[in-house]
Amino acid sequence: IITKYQLNYLGSLQKPLCLQAIERIFTRLTTNKYSKIHNHAPLKIYEIIRAINNSDIIVHYQPQVNIYSKKVVGVEALCRLLHPSKGIISPDLFIDKAENSDLIYHLTMKVLEISFIDLNHWLSKDIKVIVSVNISPAIFNYNNFYNDLIQLCQQYKIPHELICLEITEGILASNEVLELEVISRLAIQGFSLS
């Protein structure tokens, strides 16, 4: 399978886990040619705008597993940007610029929409998981965020209790009263907040 699908295989671990086996895997990971991180400069504003307009925002999902039942109970939506020449770009190269402009709103709504489309598909296959999405506190500076989020849930038939909004520790919202009001309204509507 590894050869057939050209997978990047680092090794396997057997139970019970031992520290030396884990260290060997991490050593292979850090010396593996596929693990090299490209040191790109932070993206420019126009590159972020282009990605949003061209639907080059990608959402990867990190599974959240219940260690007792060994079942996937949720996923965390991880935003990436597909750059035409640089490939897949991690958020550390564009989130700061987005947070300091109106792009954070458009980027957040795009990530939510992609996540809701995927969740709607999973629900149609009887796969019920909680989707966690990182939200910058800056999003609460936008009066229409709450209504747009509710409308997006209605559009894709997403139950509020399947959405967890993870408020990041980035910049602070400039309007704390509005932030508290929106957070309270979201909690009343059944969204999880963390």
Side-chain angles (χ1 to χ4, degrees):
I1 293 176
I2 293 167
T3 305
K4 180 179 179 182
Y5 293 105
Q6 298 175 340
L7 299 177
N8 183 17
Y9 176 75
L10 297 173
S12 59
L13 297 171
Q14 295 180 353
K15 292 180 182 177
L17 298 177
C18 70
L19 184 58
Q20 292 81 14
I22 295 171
E23 286 174 346
R24 281 194 301 273
I25 296 289
F26 279 117
T27 301
R28 286 186 205 145
L29 177 64
T30 57
T31 58
N32 189 303
K33 69 178 182 179
Y34 297 106
S35 68
K36 301 292 185 231
I37 296 173
H38 301 288
N39 291 324
H40 295 297
L43 295 184
K44 301 196 177 353
I45 294 286
Y46 79 86
E47 293 175 301
I48 302 168
I49 293 170
R50 178 181 58 209
I52 293 169
N53 290 340
N54 292 344
S55 297
D56 287 334
I57 303 301
I58 302 170
V59 177
H60 293 169
Y61 297 98
Q62 179 174 320
Q64 298 169 333
V65 179
N66 180 312
I67 60 172
Y68 300 109
S69 69
K70 297 180 177 69
K71 292 185 179 180
V72 174
V73 294
V75 293
E76 181 177 0
L78 305 172
C79 177
R80 302 292 183 262
L81 188 147
L82 182 59
H83 191 277
S85 62
K86 298 176 183 176
I88 296 176
I89 304 294
S90 64
D92 59 317
L93 297 178
F94 61 88
I95 288 295
D96 287 345
K97 281 205 175 131
E99 282 185 324
N100 292 312
S101 70
D102 285 339
L103 292 177
I104 194 62
Y105 183 80
H106 302 289
L107 184 62
T108 300
M109 295 312 294
K110 182 56 84 176
V111 169
L112 286 166
E113 182 176 23
I114 293 167
S115 300
F116 289 7
I117 289 169
D118 291 340
L119 180 55
N120 178 280
H121 175 73
W122 298 330
L123 290 170
S124 74
K125 306 281 185 195
D126 289 327
I127 301 170
K128 186 177 180 180
V129 293
I130 295 172
V131 175
S132 299
V133 179
N134 291 328
I135 302 290
S136 168
I139 204 74
F140 298 114
N141 293 327
Y142 298 89
N143 292 326
N144 53 337
F145 172 69
Y146 174 83
N147 290 332
D148 288 349
L149 177 62
I150 298 296
Q151 183 179 359
L152 208 55
C153 284
Q154 291 171 347
Q155 180 180 348
Y156 294 104
K157 300 176 178 67
I158 301 300
H160 300 173
E161 64 272 10
L162 293 183
I163 303 301
C164 177
L165 302 174
E166 295 187 359
I167 303 168
T168 63
E169 298 173 357
I171 62 174
L172 298 174
S174 61
N175 186 340
E176 293 174 2
V177 173
L178 179 61
E179 181 179 6
L180 288 174
E181 177 189 329
V182 173
I183 289 172
S184 298
R185 291 172 68 195
L186 290 168
I188 290 168
Q189 286 291 327
F191 293 94
S192 296
L193 300 163
S194 69

